């Protein structure tokens, strides 16, 4: 059978290659031949004319002293053992990361978190045919547990809330005005920032400080600079200046004594109005529902509302009136310390361990794992434990029906 010149050359090259102990695959042999051909392409091109006339002479030229042998290509690809000289460096450091931890991990024991069942308020028809609202079945137990937790932790609202920012040495009229200004600044702002802004107004304005007359006389630019750290300070500057003008014109230099009158002021909504009525006038006419009250009561499953005003109406339908004033202060502090908007501390919450909160979540359990590091010095292998790896796992949550979830 007649074969091509390429096939004959390939056969001779393979025959001249050394016999390897390991099995050679087709891909490895092909790679070796390509590497050898690329290395000697210059010499092959020089003798291309002689190969056309005589195939045997071309094959003999591959093994001539001027051309590298295929064995050199095969041996150069294999790793060679380096011989250590007398004056070579004595220490060689290498790190060998283990596939799994060698030492026992110091895991934090996960808390048993039980997810409660939603028990919202329901509409019922009484014997007389009237429609009434039945409170959530476990609301009193939840309320009492939150009161116990609030006694153990001091929240920012306890010391820097809007109710406590007015100066004690001022007249009742000035105290009511300062309470209203504090509530207007507190929107979308932390209590610490609000307290600092009120203190700056009390000390930076001309004597006697934060009063209606000074707010009327101060320029908008100066007022904006004093309340700059609070959120939406540009809009709040306009609202405060407009409110001061209305108080002097329509309310005899005092704040309104009704919720409707307070809500007629620029930038004052239902939450500020009802909180101001309780703090400034000592009359509770409604529940002040902010983002904490709205978020937490929906998290407990008491109702399913979309806006704070809708939450206020849902709570006032069944919550006893004597708790209307304290529920805002209670849940704001609870939302600042335990039931945070981001990263709720369900492990520290009594409601999660008792199975009262339908929104209980299991935070990630961070465990610290120590690993060994191997070092070769002077030909000896030494081990040191100085590699720390943090691993995160999720706890298992058991709901009210006994099912396990993550």
């Amino acid at each position: 059978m007649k074969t091509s010149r390429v096939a004959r050359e390939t056969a001779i090259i393979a025959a001249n290659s050394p016999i390897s102990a390991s099995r050679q695959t087709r891909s490895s042999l092909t790679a070796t031949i390509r590497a050898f051909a690329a290395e000697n392409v210059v010499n092959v091109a020089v003798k291309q004319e002689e190969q056309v006339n005589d195939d045997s002479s071309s094959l003999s030229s591959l093994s001539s002293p001027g051309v590298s042998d295929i064995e050199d290509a095969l041996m150069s690809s294999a790793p060679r053992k380096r011989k250590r000289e007398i004056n070579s460096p004595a220490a060689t450091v290498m790190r060998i990361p283990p596939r799994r931890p060698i030492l026992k991990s110091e895991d934090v024991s996960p808390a048993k978190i039980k997810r409660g069942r939603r028990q919202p308020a329901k509409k019922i028809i009484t014997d007389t045919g009237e429609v009434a609202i039945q409170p959530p079945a476990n609301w009193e137990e939840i309320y009492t547990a939150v009161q116990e937790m609030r006694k153990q932790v001091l929240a920012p609202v306890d010391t820097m809330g809007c109710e406590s920012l007015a100066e004690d040495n001022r007249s009742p009229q000035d105290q009511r005005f300062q309470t209203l200004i504090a509530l207007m600044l507190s929107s979308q702002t932390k209590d610490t920032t609000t307290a600092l802004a009120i203190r700056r107004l009390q000390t930076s304005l001309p004597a006697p400080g934060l009063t209606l007359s000074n707010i009327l006389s101060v320029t908008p630019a100066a007022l904006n600079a004093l309340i700059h750290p609070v959120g939406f300070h540009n809009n709040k500057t306009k609202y405060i200046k407009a409110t001061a003008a209305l108080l002097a014109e329509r309310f005899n230099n005092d704040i309104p004594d009704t919720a409707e009158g307070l809500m007629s002021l620029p930038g004052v909504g239902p939450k500020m109005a009802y909180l101001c009525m309780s703090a400034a006038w000592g009359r509770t006419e409604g529940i002040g529902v902010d983002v904490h009250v709205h978020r937490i009561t929906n998290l407990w499953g008491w109702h399913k509302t979309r806006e704070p005003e809708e939450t206020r109406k849902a709570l006032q339908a069944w919550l006893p009136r004597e708790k209307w004033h304290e529920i805002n202060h209670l849940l704001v502090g609870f939302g600042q310390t335990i039931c945070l908007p981001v990263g709720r501390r369900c492990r520290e919450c009594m409601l999660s361990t008792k199975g009262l909160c339908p929104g209980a979540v299991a935070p990630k359990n961070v465990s610290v794992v120590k690993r060994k590091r191997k070092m070769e010095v002077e030909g000896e292998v030494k081990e040191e434990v100085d590699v720390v790896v943090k691993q995160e796992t999720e706890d298992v949550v058991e709901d009210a029906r006994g099912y396990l979830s993550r």
Side-chain angles (χ1 to χ4, degrees), residues 87-230:
N87 298 327
S88 62
T92 304
V93 180
M94 62 179 179
R95 294 187 179 183
I96 306 176
R99 296 182 180 178
R100 58 182 179 180
I102 299 176
L103 300 183
K104 181 181 287 187
S105 61
E106 302 172 358
D107 292 329
V108 181
S109 58
K112 294 182 180 180
I113 298 177
K114 298 180 181 179
R115 187 174 296 154
R117 184 170 55 90
R118 293 185 73 256
Q119 301 181 29
K122 300 179 182 179
K123 291 183 178 181
I124 59 174
I125 300 178
T126 60
D127 298 336
T128 58
E130 297 179 355
V131 178
I133 304 298
Q134 182 180 2
N138 57 353
W139 79 269
E140 291 180 313
E141 187 177 2
I142 294 176
Y143 201 91
T144 304
V146 174
Q147 286 178 325
E148 293 296 326
M149 288 185 286
R150 286 283 283 111
K151 294 177 182 178
Q152 301 174 4
V153 182
L154 189 66
V157 70
D158 297 332
T159 57
M160 293 175 285
C162 295
E163 298 181 1
S164 60
L165 296 181
E167 295 175 297
D168 297 334
N169 57 350
R170 300 299 178 189
S171 64
Q173 183 176 350
D174 290 339
Q175 290 181 1
R176 290 191 291 267
F177 179 72
Q178 290 184 7
T179 301
L180 175 62
I181 298 300
L183 287 169
M184 295 179 68
L185 294 179
S186 66
S187 177
Q188 302 294 323
T189 307
K190 294 183 179 180
D191 288 337
T192 53
T193 307
T194 303
L196 291 175
I198 288 294
R199 185 59 181 169
R200 192 178 296 109
L201 291 174
Q202 293 171 347
T203 57
S204 300
L205 290 174
L210 180 55
T211 59
L212 177 61
S213 59
N214 280 337
I215 293 297
L216 288 172
S217 59
V218 70
T219 61
L223 179 60
N224 192 14
L226 291 174
I227 66 171
H228 181 77
V230 303

Side-chain angles (χ1 to χ4, degrees), residues 230-249:
V230 303
F232 304 99
H233 55 88
N234 293 325
N235 292 334
K236 291 177 181 179
T237 298
K238 300 176 183 178
Y239 294 153
I240 291 175
K241 292 290 290 183
T243 296
L246 287 177
L247 295 181
E249 179 182 352

Side-chain angles (χ1 to χ4, degrees), residues 294 303-315:
H294 172 68
H303 40 249
K304 191 175 182 180
T305 55
R306 296 183 178 180
E307 299 178 355
E309 181 63 16
E310 188 179 355
T311 301
R312 180 186 68 83
K313 296 178 180 179
L315 286 174

